[in-house]
Amino acid sequence: MKLKRMYHGAMLVTPLLVGLIPFAVSTGIYGTEKGFTVYESVILSLIVFAGASQVAMMDLLAQSAPIWIVVATALLINLRFMVFSAALSPYTQETPFWLRPFLAYTLVDYMFILISADSNKTDKSYEWAGVGIMVMVFWHGSVWAGAYFGDVIPAYLSLEYALPVLFLFFGVNMLKNKARMVTAGVTVVSIIGLYPIMPLGSGLMTSIILGAIAGIVTKRNLA
Amino acid sequence: MTFWVSTLIVGFVTLFVFRGGFIIFKPTKPFPKIVEDFLDYVPVAAMFAIAGTHMIFIQDEDMLDFAPDKILAGVVTFVAAWFSRNLFVTLAVGMSSLWLIHYFV
């Protein structure tokens, strides 16, 4: 029964792999291009396990930003997991104690989409575990593949450009209301204006904060 | 050194505080409304911020310079993403527009 529920969870992931695999492969390729070893890219992936913050950390580390900027930027990007954690906790009522750290480790964006899709807040521990195993294997495996084969890909293909294309795609898909569009606009303007002039890569974090504040202000004014 | 320290701190906080906060541990207090609102907008901002840094600039020695080829392809990518809402169409349009720009310019 538990195995069946895990299998069911694992199967839920298959349609999402078309997005997950290119994203993870691009992340791996990007790491190699920025001068990280395959080992470092995979370790970073295994420990942090979140595409956007992995990329931001590699960016900042490559430009020798200080630890606090790297940490603060990555944590700001990862803060959303706290909301996911709160939102999904009703689905873990019957989770055995030993399984909880694993469920927490595999709480990625895909998990939030799949588990919260069921509005009946019944226990989903084993479906979650099934999703988690799949996402974990495909994500880290694809990062490894990208990092490993990254330096045999000819430079004129500019494959590193696939990464921002994917980020832009995910970003555009989030533009579901006016406040979010304002967030996107303010963030981009702020990146153009601040990123090149602010020291140590701190413009990235600043732009994210300014964009988010602009979104809240817009939402409050519209409400 | 910076790599290890920052990776371990980010990994630890992300797992035990952010991801595990409500799953490994079971706190009773919800977040304040303002925090929840703020967090609602951070993911969109993060996506556009990261896409922006990679699509607008090129690292030229120690300086960041504008990259007109990437910016132009980025605008085309945005239009493709907006109208197609399809990952592969967006990826194909984005990459091929950059290649075309490089071919002709």
Side-chain angles (χ1 to χ4, degrees):
Chain A
M1 192 56 203
K2 286 173 184 171
L3 265 180
K4 206 174 168 186
R5 286 174 62 189
M6 279 175 71
Y7 178 77
H8 175 68
M11 287 301 108
L12 289 176
V13 183
T14 43
L16 296 178
L17 290 178
V18 294
L20 184 146
I21 293 173
F23 188 17
V25 170
S26 312
T27 305
I29 295 174
Y30 186 67
T32 300
E33 277 171 355
K34 281 280 169 179
F36 292 88
T37 62
V38 177
Y39 171 71
E40 285 170 331
S41 291
V42 174
I43 283 284
L44 178 65
S45 185
L46 284 168
I47 296 178
V48 175
F49 198 8
S53 52
Q54 280 172 232
V55 172
M57 286 178 75
M58 291 193 294
D59 270 341
L60 296 169
L61 287 167
Q63 44 179 298
S64 311
I67 291 175
W68 77 269
I69 296 267
V70 180
V71 170
T73 307
L75 291 182
L76 176 67
I77 296 171
N78 286 354
L79 256 178
R80 68 183 185 285
F81 292 125
M82 204 156 188
V83 181
F84 295 172
S85 181
L88 295 190
S89 72
Y91 298 92
T92 62
Q93 291 152 12
E94 293 161 30
T95 313
F97 183 72
W98 58 269
L99 190 57
R100 291 183 175 272
F102 179 73
L103 296 196
Y105 177 67
T106 59
L107 177 46
V108 293
D109 303 62
Y110 300 97
M111 187 68 77
F112 179 68
I113 295 165
L114 290 174
I115 300 293
S116 64
D118 186 352
S119 51
N120 292 321
K121 297 196 170 158
T122 53
D123 184 78
K124 291 273 182 296
S125 308
Y126 295 96
E127 288 81 357
W128 184 324
V131 173
I133 292 169
M134 283 282 278
V135 172
M136 198 175 78
V137 168
F138 278 96
W139 178 266
H140 299 311
S142 306
V143 168
W144 171 82
Y148 190 80
F149 295 106
D151 53 1
V152 297
I153 299 166
Y156 64 82
L157 285 178
S158 309
L159 272 200
E160 77 286 349
Y161 198 70
L163 196 66
V165 167
L166 291 168
F167 275 101
L168 189 56
F169 173 78
F170 293 126
V172 168
N173 270 283
M174 292 177 186
L175 298 180
K176 296 205 164 99
N177 55 50
K178 208 171 177 183
R180 288 189 175 187
M181 291 180 199
V182 171
T183 296
V186 170
T187 306
V188 171
V189 170
S190 157
I191 283 286
I192 296 170
L194 298 179
Y195 191 66
I197 56 166
M198 283 187 69
L200 314 166
S202 56
L204 182 60
M205 185 168 69
T206 311
S207 300
I208 295 173
I209 294 174
L210 287 176
I213 291 173
I216 298 176
V217 171
T218 310
K219 187 188 153 194
R220 300 245 156 128
N221 284 336
L222 288 177
Chain B
M1 183 60 189
T2 314
F3 172 83
W4 282 103
V5 175
S6 50
T7 302
L8 288 173
I9 298 175
V10 171
F12 184 87
V13 176
T14 302
L15 178 57
F16 292 103
V17 182
F18 296 168
R19 285 179 167 142
F22 292 81
I23 287 167
I24 303 178
F25 315 102
K26 292 278 179 182
T28 44
K29 271 192 196 155
F31 308 105
K33 182 89 179 84
I34 179 80
V35 176
E36 209 169 296
D37 272 358
F38 182 72
L39 294 181
D40 200 24
Y41 293 97
V42 168
V44 190
M47 290 299 156
F48 279 90
I50 297 172
T53 55
H54 291 252
M55 279 180 161
I56 295 170
F57 307 107
I58 183 157
Q59 189 80 36
D60 188 21
E61 306 271 307
D62 289 341
M63 284 274 292
L64 278 181
D65 213 340
F66 286 106
D69 53 335
K70 294 185 180 183
I71 296 174
L72 185 58
V75 173
V76 178
T77 306
F78 181 87
V79 173
W82 182 269
F83 287 103
S84 75
R85 304 276 157 168
N86 179 298
L87 184 117
F88 281 105
V89 172
T90 309
L91 204 50
V93 171
M95 292 309 291
S96 47
S97 60
L98 185 72
W99 292 331
L100 279 175
I101 293 164
H102 286 172
Y103 183 78
F104 285 111
V105 183

